[in-house]
Amino acid sequence: MNQMTSLSPVTPARSPAMPDADACWRAFLARDRAMDGRFVGCVVTTGIYCKPSCAARHPKRENMSFLPDPAGARAAGYRACLRCRPDEIGRDRLAVEKAIALIEAAEEAPRLDEIADHVGYAPHHFHRLFKRETGLTPAAYARGLRAERLKAALDQGGSVTEAIYEAGYNAPSRAYADAEKHLGMTPTAWKDGGRGATIRWRTIDSSLGPVLVAATDRGLCRISFGEGEAELRGRFPHADIRPADPALDAMAQRVAALVDDPAAGADLPIDVRGTEFQQAIWAALRAIPPGETRSYGDIAAAIGRPGAVRAAGTACGDNNLAVLIPCHRVVRSDGSMGGYAWGLDRKQALLAREGAK
């Protein structure tokens, strides 16, 4: 039940730099669809260029070179692969951007057939295409955007009813259903500082300093270094904040052990709420193997949104569960540490304990 930022589900951002040649080759070997559009592979022996997910038989490594885009490949004398059609990636992404603009400008969420007709694709095909590019269906994107608008309207003051209709909902029932999913509580509870929500908490000593561990009856909602009851009450001033019970005490012990050995992992219940985009980013973070790191561009590409690097970084910063959702495994594309909400010294220590390079 975390507080959400004003970030919309998918925020356009400058495309990440092309990966190095070794990373490009690995993407081709894995036929990594998430890397489509970030570069093309040029086959010297056949004179064609392909996207990373091309299903054709792989050439030898020494017969491949990599270029940032199809235009560069054509300028170098290569022709497009007829099997994977790499030139269509650009057209597809323009169509998705056009669809996003339509959804964001509409007072009510447009139907799939209206969106598809607007961008010139068949509905069933564009539905798959949109999800591949954004990690969301058009309907899910619209719901997330509407929930973000509701949160912003609630934060501005005024009545809950006005906020619901200002956000684009036709009826309060739909707003309350979406809000429980996206905000972790009803609109009234959100506006009233978490009134009606029950959160148990405690701090526990760890090898990297005191850790706040807090949970709802559904699971952990906050793990953070250097915070205590005051910070928790600041997030939810009207929630029912209670001391830990035996169940939370047991979870806190496991969290402290995880700080000592972050590579061990922990199967603990969680209750973190966010947009579909944030949830996708957090799932991608949990998929990073211990001892390895990923760049923000890698994380954005992993959820099918290679252009949303800045948004991915913001979602990492919005992570409420330190160590359990391992945002410490994300670094900048040049290998430098980047940011970490709980201090770079802790980030370096966690990576060192996992044996990360």
Side-chain angles (χ1 to χ4, degrees), residues 262-329:
D267 184 14
L268 291 167
I270 64 175
D271 183 16
V272 287
R273 308 299 178 90
T275 64
E276 283 92 345
F277 181 83
Q278 289 172 318
Q279 295 280 13
I281 291 293
W282 298 335
L285 295 180
R286 301 191 80 179
I288 304 174
E292 297 185 16
T293 59
R294 299 288 187 272
S295 70
Y296 295 101
D298 291 335
I299 294 298
I303 67 165
R305 281 297 294 139
V309 179
R310 295 175 186 171
T314 301
C316 288
D318 290 336
N319 172 28
N320 272 334
L321 299 179
V323 189
L324 190 59
I325 296 179
C327 57
H328 62 273
R329 294 175 188 159

Side-chain angles (χ1 to χ4, degrees), residues 211-226:
V211 181
L212 170 71
V213 182
T216 67
D217 57 356
R218 298 180 180 180
L220 292 163
C221 62
R222 183 73 176 167
I223 300 173
S224 59
F225 293 97

Side-chain angles (χ1 to χ4, degrees), residues 107-118:
E107 292 186 4
E108 297 183 13
R111 300 192 311 272
L112 175 62
D113 58 345
E114 294 174 334
I115 299 172
D117 182 66
H118 180 71

